[in-house]
Amino acid sequence: MHAIEPIYQPMLLAGTPADADRVIEVRNPFSGALVGSVPQAEKRQIRAAFAAAARFRPKLSRRERSDILLGTARAIASNQDRLARLITAETGLCLKDSLHETRRACDVWSFAAHALIQNDGEIYPGDIGGNPHARRIFSMRTPLAGVIAAITPFNHPLNLVSHKLAPAIATNNRVVLKPSEQTPLTALALGRILREQGLPDGMLSIVTGTPHDLGDCVFTDEDAELVTFTGSVRVGHQIAERAGYRRLVLELGGNDPFIVLADADVDRAAQLAVQGAVRHSGQRCTAVKRALVVEELADRFAERALHHMQQLSTGDPSDPSVDLGTVISEDAAQLIARRVDGAVAAGARLLLGGEPRGAFCPPTLLDHVPPACELVAEETFGPVLPIIRCNNDIEEIVMTANATRFGLSAAICSNRLDHVTRLIEGLAVGSVNVWEVPGYRTELTPFGGIKQSGLGHKEGIVEAMRSFTQVKTYSLPWP
Ligand code: NAD
């Protein structure tokens, strides 16, 4: 095993390293070894971070911001191995997944640099309507007057933090970020890279702590104008109830269907479904959480999915040849196992799986899963592929796909354009991918769910930059 020396990382309060009386330990989910520790912030430190951000007025030109963003992309690329090993140590994700995450993060930072050089204003004529004036009206986008409060989950500790910070910096905003207490070390490593790239201290604080100790202070601070949260539906709803009069961007959980229609190439579909369910230990908001397969293909689909799942190599996540690491904790693995048992008790057939070992949850395949059981009615965050058999009826498939409170993404395997278009229209989700996993996206394009999977603006660099700015108009007397 590739051991990492335990490290203590201070928080960054307005760019300055800061400690606290207590620390939080981060342990490797695979080995249980201490990866490092971070301060347990006190509420007064959170207040101080927001106050310092509110006092600071960023004045970076587009050129200066672009240099910081591109420099960060380059620094992530040149530290790729070190960062990926840190992600693997904190999360238990296999090194292949962590390296993939570093490549995605490079895209985020470089795409933000490119997006900020685009014109973001519009021009309207004034000599129109019932009250024509010989004037012209211009719109421009300005940074928020207040501070952005950003809260991120454990499952993409580099990429999702990047999706908050890069668009915020690109738009000259100030951010107080609270990463997950389960994976704070990667966020702090990114914070240090940003300082090295010359990010002004007042633009970023990274505070660490458990929700139990911090309560609501990160999203109710008087200087927090916008709260951008990525995480579970449960916590997203708590924030929505308590955040008060401020803008909210909530990117929440998913329960994505992977739909296989009668004309599909079964082996190609099964391979994609396994990839979508198992990569990143199944801990993606857009992982395949349910395969809806028409009855006539289901036997063969199950057989091919079993074949592809059996090819996966498991073991020490830091071994570069391993395909599947652990989930985030032993508790998470136990929850998945209980839901699998519940599905079997309700009539599902277990084709592959077994007892978890610590935080390792074996790749799991079930067929004949009843749609109402908890395994598929809730978001099950692990390497599990449950097959729900469906009649060959598009309306019925749409109803089954939509019969959850989630609405993030979906995937379709079919070449029948008439069926595909009916599904795209009928599925109550934010994105649909045909012949791809539900999670396919670029870091630039709009991304986000509907129903309980998300509220407010979408993410993706372009949309996030819009959500982090306000539109100001001005009119001039020269038409
Ligand atoms: P989580 O909701 O438990 O935690 C997310 C963050 O919120 C963490 O920083 C945590 O410390 C903080 N938090 C927890 N309870 C809080 C509270 N009461 N008040 C304030 N903050 C609190 O989520 P998680 O387990 O870290 O991440 C997994 C979840 O995130 C899954 O549901 C997944 O689908 C979702 N997710 C969504 C997207 C998306 O873009 N839609 C992307 C990745 C993950």
Side-chain angles (χ1 to χ4, degrees), residues 154-423:
F154 75 80
N155 64 324
H156 287 286
L158 182 65
N159 196 43
L160 288 175
V161 168
S162 298
H163 267 288
K164 307 293 184 202
L165 300 187
I169 294 166
T171 48
N172 247 346
N173 275 289
R174 297 143 293 163
V175 189
V176 175
L177 167 78
K178 195 208 74 66
S180 167
E181 67 281 8
Q182 292 173 297
T183 56
L185 294 164
T186 308
L188 288 167
L190 178 62
R192 285 198 307 282
I193 289 176
L194 283 163
R195 284 191 82 199
E196 285 159 16
Q197 297 308 315
L199 184 74
D201 285 346
M203 282 177 81
L204 177 63
S205 285
I206 302 182
V207 294
T208 49
T210 62
H212 176 263
D213 284 280
L214 295 179
D216 297 352
C217 67
V218 179
F219 58 90
T220 55
D221 189 275
E222 65 197 68
D223 286 313
E225 181 178 349
L226 178 146
V227 179
T228 172
F229 170 82
T230 302
S232 62
V233 167
R234 181 182 63 80
V235 176
H237 281 234
Q238 283 175 12
I239 291 176
E241 278 160 22
R242 299 188 203 145
Y245 185 76
R246 42 178 61 83
R247 299 191 204 190
L248 281 183
V249 178
L250 302 178
E251 307 291 346
L252 309 179
N255 191 352
D256 290 358
F258 184 92
I259 297 169
V260 185
L261 297 186
D263 69 291
D265 170 340
V266 181
D267 187 56
R268 185 179 169 203
Q271 197 168 3
L272 270 178
V274 169
Q275 182 193 325
V278 166
R279 266 180 85 167
H280 219 76
S281 296
Q283 296 173 128
R284 293 185 67 179
C285 51
T286 52
V288 172
K289 309 260 167 57
R290 309 172 277 158
L292 311 188
V293 184
V294 296
E295 183 70 49
E296 60 207 84
L297 296 186
D299 284 344
R300 197 159 141 62
F301 178 87
E303 182 241 302
R304 295 317 296 158
L306 179 62
H307 167 78
H308 291 297
M309 265 202 179
Q310 284 169 331
Q311 310 305 308
L312 297 167
S313 76
T314 60
D316 182 344
S318 67
D319 175 342
S321 69
V322 160
D323 296 314
L324 176 64
T326 69
V327 293
I328 189 65
S329 65
E330 198 169 331
D331 283 353
Q334 290 295 339
L335 172 64
I336 296 162
R338 279 199 301 280
R339 288 189 178 170
V340 169
D341 290 347
V344 170
R349 281 189 214 150
L350 185 66
L351 303 182
L352 188 69
E355 286 302 306
R357 291 189 303 279
F360 176 72
C361 174
T364 303
L365 178 66
L366 300 102
D367 195 1
H368 295 279
V369 177
C373 69
E374 198 183 336
L375 182 76
V376 285
E378 291 302 323
E379 177 184 42
T380 298
F381 223 45
V384 182
L385 180 59
I387 301 171
I388 298 175
R389 293 182 173 228
C390 300
N391 291 326
N392 189 5
D393 175 329
I394 299 293
E395 297 317 312
E396 212 178 299
I397 291 171
V398 168
M399 268 171 52
T400 309
N402 289 347
T404 76
R405 61 196 171 115
F406 304 90
L408 195 54
S409 319
I412 305 168
C413 293
S414 170
N415 292 324
R416 283 277 307 258
L417 188 58
D418 53 343
H419 288 167
V420 167
T421 48
R422 277 168 67 196
L423 283 168

Side-chain angles (χ1 to χ4, degrees), residues 400-456:
T400 309
N402 289 347
T404 76
R405 61 196 171 115
F406 304 90
L408 195 54
S409 319
I412 305 168
C413 293
S414 170
N415 292 324
R416 283 277 307 258
L417 188 58
D418 53 343
H419 288 167
V420 167
T421 48
R422 277 168 67 196
L423 283 168
I424 291 175
E425 204 172 277
L427 290 169
V429 293
S431 9
V432 181
N433 290 311
V434 179
W435 283 115
E436 245 308 346
V437 294
Y440 167 77
R441 61 187 283 206
T442 75
E443 313 306 322
L444 193 69
T445 39
F447 168 79
I450 59 170
K451 292 162 72 181
Q452 303 221 348
S453 291
L455 187 74

Side-chain angles (χ1 to χ4, degrees), residues 88-121:
T88 288
E90 278 198 310
T91 59
L93 291 168
C94 69
L95 197 61
K96 281 185 192 173
D97 289 335
S98 301
L99 284 166
H100 181 65
E101 168 136 359
T102 59
R103 289 189 286 274
R104 290 185 63 190
C106 285
D107 279 356
V108 172
W109 290 93
S110 58
F111 290 177
H114 294 300
L116 77 79
I117 62 176
Q118 307 298 320
N119 179 28
D120 56 4

